[in-house]
Amino acid sequence: MTPRPADPARRAEERQLSPVDGLAQLSFLIHSLLERRAAEHDLSIIQTRLLGVLRDRRPTINELGHLLGLDKSSVSGLVERAERRGLVSRSPSPADGRSVLVSLTETGRALVDRAAQRFGADVSDLLGHLPRSEQRALTGLVSRLLVAQAADEGIELCPAPSVP
Amino acid sequence: MTPRPADPARRAEERQLSPVDGLAQLSFLIHSLLERRAAEHDLSIIQTRLLGVLRDRRPTINELGHLLGLDKSSVSGLVERAERRGLVSRSPSPADGRSVLVSLTETGRALVDRAAQRFGADVSDLLGHLPRSEQRALTGLVSRLLVAQAADEGIELCPAPSVP
DNA sequence: TATTGTTATACTCTATAACTATA
DNA sequence: TATAGTTATAGAGTATAACAATA
């Protein structure tokens, strides 16, 4: 929903960005940074999130569904495509004969590590436009916002991507 | 890419969210707010952006492609599905016999106005977790970040959604 | 019986390539 | 010839519903 020209600078300077617009634009900027880095490795956002989730887990299909907010049938296809590319592997669960454990292959780990590193650098560069003291201020305010939001709504929404 | 439990509160409090993680999570939170409001009206993010773009424009298919960052064939289908739902209409361009002008119907405008209003309220509520003075501080910092980014990279990326 | 995962089906979204109609 | 738009095709991503295997 963007009625006006998509030039953040003009909009921010000319008519002082509204608080809502500013946060919305920042959100989409960061989202597009992630999208761009993922695309460098032929990954979609959801494939990137899948790999990210697997960095320190070995979940079942069902657990992946909860982590990613997807139906198990969607996860099944997602994992199938990642497996076909050699990024993840499936193995039968020793504990439950019905379950499957999904884990990263070495290739998959290398890929996600690299994408995460690049994305992290992008966001760092973005932050680098502000002086140190203001970076700290911004980070603090953002943290408080997220804490308040979490306290308010519980978890549920957005199994949010992040970088180490 | 989220190696750890998706609980912003725990993460922010326990181990003080890193600047990169904080911004990434905020981005995904806001994105999910928009997604949720769009879904209330059976709209995808891209359909919502389409309607948003049309709020103060009457572009051709080609122009829509540039505004949304999509191929003309993708736009063709997007518009076709929106038209089938009665949200937009196509009319021949008086200026160029090859072109088509796309515009919102009344139904489409009502829908996007409502979604934008609800989304704006969501972001306002989110901001409302901070005291006034900190809201101002955050907004100022975000504006400066966006200005700096735009100066750095030009426009190109992310025909970012926004609300009036 | 209940749960886990897969498969069949259907739809949106996207791009490439081929086509048409106009310029 | 070049441009605007559509269509054909292919593939990812998503959900619902039906199914097989296991618990």
Side-chain angles (χ1 to χ4, degrees):
Chain A
M1 307 192 249
T2 163
R4 294 162 229 99
D7 180 344
R10 256 188 86 208
R11 301 176 57 179
E13 280 164 358
E14 275 179 15
R15 29 177 289 290
Q16 181 56 291
L17 220 51
S18 82
V20 169
D21 273 7
L23 279 184
Q25 288 204 19
L26 179 61
S27 160
F28 278 80
L29 172 60
I30 291 172
H31 198 269
S32 74
L33 293 177
L34 179 56
E35 209 160 34
R36 192 222 289 167
R37 289 310 186 186
E40 284 182 352
H41 305 281
D42 281 302
L43 292 174
S44 63
I45 294 274
I46 187 62
Q47 285 283 348
T48 307
R49 285 180 62 199
L50 169 65
L51 301 188
V53 154
L54 294 177
R55 289 218 276 180
D56 64 353
R57 286 187 192 83
R58 216 169 179 265
T60 64
I61 297 284
N62 229 344
E63 287 164 352
L64 274 175
H66 289 108
L67 288 164
L68 300 174
L70 296 175
D71 187 83
K72 56 188 178 164
S73 66
S74 304
V75 175
S76 213
L78 204 61
V79 167
E80 199 277 331
R81 290 185 292 274
E83 193 176 30
R84 211 189 307 146
R85 286 179 59 182
L87 303 179
V88 309
S89 64
R90 264 189 267 233
S91 39
S93 167
D96 188 331
R98 299 167 299 178
S99 292
V100 167
L101 300 183
V102 183
S103 53
L104 281 180
T105 62
E106 280 187 26
T107 307
R109 183 170 300 279
L111 203 67
V112 68
D113 283 352
R114 172 128 177 219
Q117 184 263 318
R118 304 257 257 160
F119 171 64
D122 287 339
V123 179
S124 286
D125 288 351
L126 179 64
L127 268 173
H129 288 119
L130 295 179
R132 276 266 176 223
S133 63
E134 297 190 353
Q135 290 182 35
R136 263 196 306 277
L138 179 58
T139 300
L141 290 169
V142 167
S143 284
R144 293 183 53 182
L145 217 49
L146 291 173
V147 168
Q149 162 70 18
D152 226 44
E153 299 225 0
I155 302 97
E156 41 161 51
L157 274 181
C158 130
S162 71
V163 275
Chain B
M1 302 192 254
T2 163
R4 294 163 229 97
D7 180 344
R10 258 188 82 207
R11 300 175 60 179
E13 279 164 358
E14 274 178 16
R15 30 177 286 292
Q16 181 55 294
L17 221 49
S18 82
V20 169
D21 273 7
L23 283 183
Q25 287 203 21
L26 179 60
S27 161
F28 277 80
L29 172 58
I30 291 173
H31 198 270
S32 74
L33 293 178
L34 179 56
E35 208 161 35
R36 192 222 288 166
R37 288 311 186 186
E40 284 182 351
H41 304 282
D42 281 303
L43 293 174
S44 63
I45 294 275
I46 187 61
Q47 284 284 349
T48 308
R49 284 180 64 200
L50 169 64
L51 301 188
V53 154
L54 294 178
R55 289 218 276 179
D56 62 355
R57 286 188 193 82
R58 216 167 179 266
T60 65
I61 298 285
N62 230 344
E63 287 164 351
L64 274 175
H66 289 108
L67 289 165
L68 299 174
L70 297 175
D71 187 84
K72 56 186 179 165
S73 66
S74 304
V75 176
S76 213
L78 204 61
V79 168
E80 199 277 331
R81 290 185 291 275
E83 193 177 31
R84 211 190 307 147
R85 286 180 58 181
L87 304 178
V88 309
S89 64
R90 263 189 269 234
S91 40
S93 166
D96 187 331
R98 299 168 297 180
S99 291
V100 167
L101 300 182
V102 183
S103 54
L104 281 181
T105 62
E106 277 187 27
T107 307
R109 184 171 298 279
L111 204 66
V112 68
D113 283 352
R114 173 131 177 214
Q117 184 263 317
R118 304 257 257 161
F119 172 63
D122 286 340
V123 179
S124 285
D125 287 351
L126 179 63
L127 266 173
H129 288 121
L130 295 178
R132 276 267 175 221
S133 63
E134 298 191 351
Q135 290 182 35
R136 263 196 307 276
L138 179 58
T139 299
L141 290 168
V142 166
S143 283
R144 294 183 53 180
L145 216 49
L146 291 173
V147 169
Q149 161 71 16
D152 226 44
E153 300 224 0
I155 303 97
E156 40 160 51
L157 275 181
C158 132
S162 70
V163 274

